[in-house]
Amino acid sequence: MSIYLDSNATTQVAKECVQALLECMEDFGNPSSTHLFGQAAKKRLMDARAQVAALLSASPQELVFTSSGTEGNHMAIRGACAMHPEKRHVVTSRVEHPSTLSLVAHLEAQGYRVTLLDVDENGNLDLDAFENSINDETAIASLMWANNETGVIFPIMDAAKIAKSKGCLFHTDAVQAAGKMEIDLSSVPADFLSFSGHKMHAPKGMGALFVRKGIKLPPLFFGHQERGRRGGTENLPGIAALAAACRLAMEADAGRITALRNKLEEGVVARIDIARINGVGADRVGNTSNVSFGNIESEAILTDLDREGICASSGAACTAGGSEPSHVLRAMGAQAGSAIRFSLSRYTQDEDIEKLLGILPGLVEKRRMQ
Ligand code: PLP
């Protein structure tokens, strides 16, 4: 039996999500149609929107369904720039997901000034530096809520307050936070928040963007759907599955997953003297552990683990195939070349961690001897 410890790349699809998806395959109406089929679909869409909004303590009208976290990030950042064409500056951090970093690189090539904020050795952000980076020219500040590689949590409540006090739009990429920790948009004054279904047990190709009431965000795709904010017939099966995932997340036992992650880390540190937990001194989401193993190459350990049926990763899934060491770990000054990310989910069992702890020390020792 394989053990899957790569849930920050994507998660096992929950049977509850499959069920919700299948119901919308049979009940196939277009929510924009006025006949019976359309009305049934519209009702499903409304119910799903209310369920997703409940996870974030947002109002249903504040949600725009998207195809992905990437689309949400782009819609917020590009939209904010389009709202304020006279402002030619964007603030973000050096450790964001490539979907944000590649977009701001593109903006830079178009003449925008981009501030990439540094992090310290634990992956923490300096809020004073964040505050000082925002000025009258800043179209938007965008910070991830939880880091996909290390799990480190940025102080989004404080950052959002700072951005608002300086009259700047604020977006947070909550792809790795949603469903793993409490998100209450009635008290966090973010203007935009994006997240993605496939990181929380829904299928791939489904996400949502929160747009705070009153903000007129220009669409990426024009059309009447989503109140003119995102054209294209709604992916109702995906939306229903996302709503089911949000319902599951609200019932989730984050404490159990955190306890398993802590057991993994305590076991690894006790058994492998060269192991270093990256971001251990920071506040982190409970499912993620990023560990460096001295001079041993990540790919060697991953190959050995894979042979034993254990799936983990050396960082972000989209860069894991490449040979570039993680930009996140380099920004923290950590041993990027030997890092392994273990990311757990509601389906991770105690036996999975036991098996990992039984196998990993021997694999590392063997590689050390080579
Ligand atoms: N932001 C973060 C922090 C992520 O981890 C990911 C995916 O790994 C994304 C954005 C992109 O989400 P999606 O895969 O839905 O495009």
Side-chain angles (χ1 to χ4, degrees), residues 44-224:
R44 280 192 193 275
L45 182 61
M46 278 170 59
D47 290 350
R49 202 183 295 283
Q51 180 68 62
V52 175
L55 179 72
L56 308 172
S57 299
S59 96
Q61 295 73 25
E62 290 174 311
L63 286 170
V64 180
F65 289 116
T66 62
S67 67
S68 58
T70 301
E71 183 185 327
N73 290 349
H74 284 226
M75 192 172 160
I77 297 172
R78 297 187 85 128
C81 291
M83 279 169 72
H84 296 290
E86 74 290 359
K87 299 189 177 188
R88 306 284 290 174
H89 175 226
V90 171
V91 173
T92 186
S93 86
R94 216 170 267 292
V95 297
E96 298 296 311
H97 186 264
S99 56
T100 297
L101 290 177
S102 53
L103 172 60
V104 299
H106 170 75
L107 291 174
E108 197 166 30
Q110 293 193 327
Y112 276 80
R113 197 164 68 75
V114 174
T115 300
L116 294 179
L117 296 163
D118 290 319
V119 294
D120 69 12
E121 69 280 8
N122 275 308
N124 283 321
L125 189 80
D126 179 347
L127 277 177
D128 289 335
F130 175 68
E131 179 158 13
N132 293 334
S133 71
I134 299 174
N135 57 45
D136 294 344
E137 293 289 296
T138 314
I140 187 163
S142 175
L143 293 175
M144 66 201 320
W145 204 318
N147 188 276
N148 47 306
E149 297 194 33
T150 59
V152 171
I153 295 172
F154 277 168
I156 292 302
M157 167 76 98
D158 294 338
K161 283 183 179 161
I162 289 170
K164 295 325 299 164
S165 75
K166 300 194 84 174
C168 175
L169 287 169
F170 182 79
H171 164 250
T172 181
D173 169 351
V175 168
Q176 296 291 350
K180 298 180 189 174
M181 53 186 277
E182 202 198 334
I183 292 184
D184 180 355
L185 288 168
S186 67
S187 61
V188 176
D191 297 299
F192 312 111
L193 175 147
S194 37
F195 73 103
S196 178
H198 76 105
K199 310 291 183 175
M200 46 189 293
H201 305 290
K204 290 154 200 61
M206 196 58 237
L209 176 70
F210 162 86
V211 180
R212 189 162 301 276
K213 191 166 180 254
I215 298 179
K216 287 245 162 299
L217 189 70
L220 289 180
F221 309 126
F222 291 84
H224 71 269

